[in-house]
Amino acid sequence: MIVDKAIYRNGRRQGCGDLSDELDVLRLTQDGFLWIGLKDPTDDEFALVNEELHLHPLAVEDAVNGRQRAKIEKYESSVFVVLKTLRYIEATSDIETGEVMLFIGDRFVVTVRHGEGNPLAGVRQRLETEPDRLGHGSLTVLHAVMDSVVDNYVVVDREVRKDLESIEEQVFASDEGGDANTIYRLKREVLEFRRASQPLADTLSQFMERGRGGMLPAEMMPFFRDVADHLRLVNDHVESYDRLLTDVLSAHLASVSVKQNEDMRRISAWVAIAAVPTMIAGIYGMNFAHMPELTASIHVGNGEFQYGYFLVLAVMAVACVGLYRAFKRSGWL
């Protein structure tokens, strides 16, 4: 649907009537530009805009279908820009991706937003308070939208860093040792982050290089350089998060392996201790005809005390205590 549309002359917003008539006037006077904002447009809604602006069919197809890689494509009479938007969901620590697409042509800008991330109403409102910036034309809109998207990357970057610090604390500073599923989920979100930010950095660098002395005026170059610097910093962080998460996952798996080995040593030690009385009981529990030690006795007063069974129990106890102390000293228990 069309969220907003307006004419901007000398940086000031004006009402917009019929798109075709307004564009004819703008191109005739060479003053100002038309800005149309769309949100999740249907084929029919986009066809109405395309009928008036005559956009390139390949760019229109990408804009309607969505799910594009970040890029800047220059066609005969327009420039098509795809930006990947990110939104951090606090409740689940997930990163939701969306898209903002821009068509920049002769005296018009069309912004198309897919998804809930990075609303553009605030961008338009901020620009309308700075008529001097809007006076530079449609490239000011491109910079403002791109700057907003990258600023949102910085916000997501900050939240991912908090999640990473929390996972590090769980793995290295707690007895529980963290959860492999949590580590893997964050690593997957970092990869999603990287797929959005890295292609944009490469594309923006090429766009600035091609636009130097051409479609990018000298006064706009510092603004795009500033966006590129912020984006480069974010990408450095994302790469470091990816490497660090790989190390954390390896450390977690090593910790789990060590704990499993410790558990197996304890189990083995207790099995060895239990094997002694089991063996003795197995031998002396047989119905042999002659086992003298079981019938050994001493005379006590007028009676006779048979101590054979107590002797066997004492041997079992001494053996178990000896094994227990040996395993305790070796660290198995």
Side-chain angles (χ1 to χ4, degrees):
M1 62 177 177
I2 297 180
V3 178
D4 195 1
K5 62 178 181 177
I7 300 293
Y8 293 90
R9 288 190 175 91
N10 298 320
R12 305 291 181 181
R13 179 183 177 117
Q14 299 178 5
C16 178
D18 181 76
L19 297 182
S20 181
D21 294 341
E22 295 288 2
L23 275 175
D24 289 341
V25 173
L26 288 170
R27 289 165 178 166
L28 182 63
T29 60
Q30 292 293 298
D31 178 29
F33 63 94
L34 166 66
W35 183 357
I36 303 172
L38 302 174
K39 168 71 167 63
D40 293 323
T42 63
D43 292 351
D44 293 337
E45 290 171 340
F46 204 89
L48 293 175
V49 175
N50 185 33
E51 184 179 350
E52 304 294 342
L53 303 182
H54 306 293
L55 304 173
H56 195 281
L58 292 178
V60 171
E61 181 182 355
D62 289 345
V64 172
N65 295 334
R67 300 183 181 278
Q68 301 297 310
R69 182 182 174 91
K71 61 181 180 179
I72 301 178
E73 293 282 353
K74 190 175 187 310
Y75 296 104
E76 294 84 356
S77 58
S78 63
V79 175
F80 178 58
V81 181
V82 179
L83 306 174
K84 303 292 286 187
T85 62
L86 299 177
R87 184 167 73 103
Y88 182 82
I89 303 175
E90 187 72 34
T92 59
S93 296
D94 289 339
I95 297 176
E96 183 182 88
T97 60
E99 290 171 323
V100 170
M101 304 177 181
L102 297 94
F103 294 87
I104 303 172
D106 184 15
R107 299 294 163 179
F108 69 84
V109 177
V110 179
T111 55
V112 183
R113 185 163 66 95
H114 292 281
E116 300 303 321
N118 222 108
L120 299 180
V123 175
R124 187 188 287 258
Q125 290 169 4
R126 284 194 299 273
L127 281 177
E128 288 175 355
T129 63
E130 303 178 66
D132 290 341
R133 284 186 62 191
L134 270 176
H136 289 296
S138 55
L139 285 178
T140 300
V141 177
L142 172 60
H143 166 262
V145 172
M146 193 175 290
D147 188 48
S148 174
V149 169
V150 173
D151 284 347
N152 204 42
Y153 287 177
V154 175
V155 174
V156 176
D157 176 15
R158 192 180 305 121
E159 296 297 332
V160 170
R161 182 167 64 248
K162 290 179 183 177
D163 289 343
L164 180 55
E165 289 171 353
S166 175
I167 287 177
E168 281 185 295
E169 184 177 351
Q170 292 175 14
V171 171
F172 297 109
S174 69
D175 296 332
E176 298 177 357
D179 177 25
N181 185 51
T182 303
I183 300 172
Y184 177 76
R185 281 187 60 190
L186 183 58
K187 188 172 177 63
R188 186 183 61 189
E189 298 306 319
V190 168
L191 179 60
E192 193 75 20
F193 195 165
R194 192 173 186 175
R195 286 173 178 166
S197 63
Q198 187 63 55
L200 179 57
D202 300 336
T203 297
L204 180 57
S205 177
Q206 295 170 7
F207 174 69
M208 292 171 61
E209 188 64 32
R210 292 196 306 264
R212 197 183 304 275
M215 69 172 293
L216 268 182
E219 62 269 18
M220 291 298 300
M221 191 64 71
F223 293 97
F224 284 97
R225 259 200 312 266
D226 180 66
V227 173
D229 289 342
H230 292 170
L231 187 56
R232 194 175 300 112
L233 182 62
V234 168
N235 281 330
D236 288 343
H237 290 171
V238 172
E239 288 181 9
S240 68
Y241 298 156
D242 189 36
R243 291 194 300 267
L244 190 55
L245 278 169
T246 299
D247 295 339
V248 169
L249 183 59
S250 299
H252 169 72
L253 295 177
S255 174
V256 170
S257 178
V258 168
K259 289 180 180 179
Q260 289 176 340
N261 289 338
E262 291 176 352
D263 292 340
M264 288 302 299
R265 288 199 305 177
R266 289 192 181 93
I267 293 171
S268 299
W270 283 113
V271 168
I273 293 172
V276 174
T278 301
M279 180 187 67
I280 296 175
I283 294 174
Y284 288 97
M286 298 179 184
N287 295 320
F288 289 146
H290 301 287
M291 298 189 77
E293 59 271 25
L294 294 181
T295 59
S297 62
I298 59 174
H299 292 282
V300 179
N302 295 327
E304 187 178 40
F305 175 69
Q306 290 187 343
Y307 63 87
Y309 286 103
F310 294 99
L311 178 62
V312 172
L313 291 175
V315 171
M316 291 168 58
V318 170
C320 289
V321 171
L323 284 172
Y324 176 81
R325 289 180 175 176
F327 285 129
K328 194 72 172 177
R329 284 195 300 270
S330 66
W332 282 49
L333 289 174

